[in-house]
C-alpha cells in the first residue's frame, strides 16, 4: 500500500509540475501538507481536455513569442497541425491576446 501511494504521488507530481525537475513544492505546499486534488470541474471530460490543451498551446505560444515554427517544434508537432489546433480551439495568432477568446 505504501509503495502504491508513493508511486501515485510521484506520478501526480510529474503530471502537475511545470518544472522539468521535481522539487519539494511538487509534493508539498508551503505548510508541508500534500496538495489536495482539485475539485471536479463542471462539464464533460472532453470539455476539460479541450481547455487543458488550449491552455497548454497558449502557454507554448507565449513562451516562443508567438512564433508558429518555434512553437510547433517545441510541441513536437507540425506547423500545419499547430495551426489546425489553434483554429479548432479558437486561439488567434496575435501576441497581445486580442481575439484569443475562451472556447
Amino acid at each position: 500500500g505504501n509503495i502504491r501511494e508513493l508511486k501515485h504521488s510521484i506520478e501526480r507530481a510529474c503530471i502537475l509540475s511545470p518544472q522539468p525537475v521535481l522539487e519539494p513544492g511538487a509534493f508539498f505546499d508551503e505548510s508541508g501538507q500534500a496538495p489536495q486534488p482539485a475539485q471536479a470541474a463542471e462539464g464533460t471530460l472532453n470539455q476539460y481536455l479541450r481547455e487543458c490543451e488550449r491552455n497548454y498551446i497558449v502557454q507554448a505560444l507565449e513562451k516562443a513569442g508567438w512564433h508558429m515554427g518555434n512553437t510547433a517544434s517545441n510541441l513536437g508537432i507540425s506547423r500545419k497541425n499547430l495551426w489546425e489546433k489553434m483554429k479548432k480551439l479558437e486561439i488567434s495568432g496575435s501576441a497581445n491576446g486580442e481575439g484569443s477568446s475562451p472556447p
Side-chain angles (χ1 to χ4, degrees):
N2 289 342
I3 299 297
R4 185 173 45 248
E5 186 176 339
L6 175 62
K7 179 181 179 230
H8 289 181
S9 294
I10 292 171
E11 287 174 350
R12 180 176 45 247
C14 288
I15 292 168
L16 298 177
S17 177
Q19 305 299 322
V21 176
L22 293 179
E23 297 180 0
F27 297 97
F28 305 103
D29 62 15
E30 294 80 29
S31 67
Q33 300 294 316
Q36 297 298 315
Q39 295 288 329
E42 297 287 325
T44 66
L45 178 59
N46 283 337
Q47 290 169 328
Y48 177 76
L49 293 174
R50 176 185 165 101
E51 187 63 25
C52 288
E53 183 177 29
R54 185 180 192 287
N55 291 338
Y56 191 78
I57 290 173
V58 168
Q59 288 177 1
L61 284 161
E62 289 172 350
K63 183 177 179 182
W66 289 78
H67 185 274
M68 297 285 286
N70 291 345
T71 302
S73 177
N74 293 341
L75 292 173
I77 59 177
S78 69
R79 286 180 53 149
K80 180 181 180 201
N81 194 338
L82 175 60
W83 181 83
E84 289 170 346
K85 286 180 178 291
M86 288 175 64
K87 184 176 177 182
K88 179 183 96 177
L89 297 170
E90 300 175 1
I91 302 170
S92 76
S94 65
N96 62 9
E98 289 180 19
S100 181
S101 61

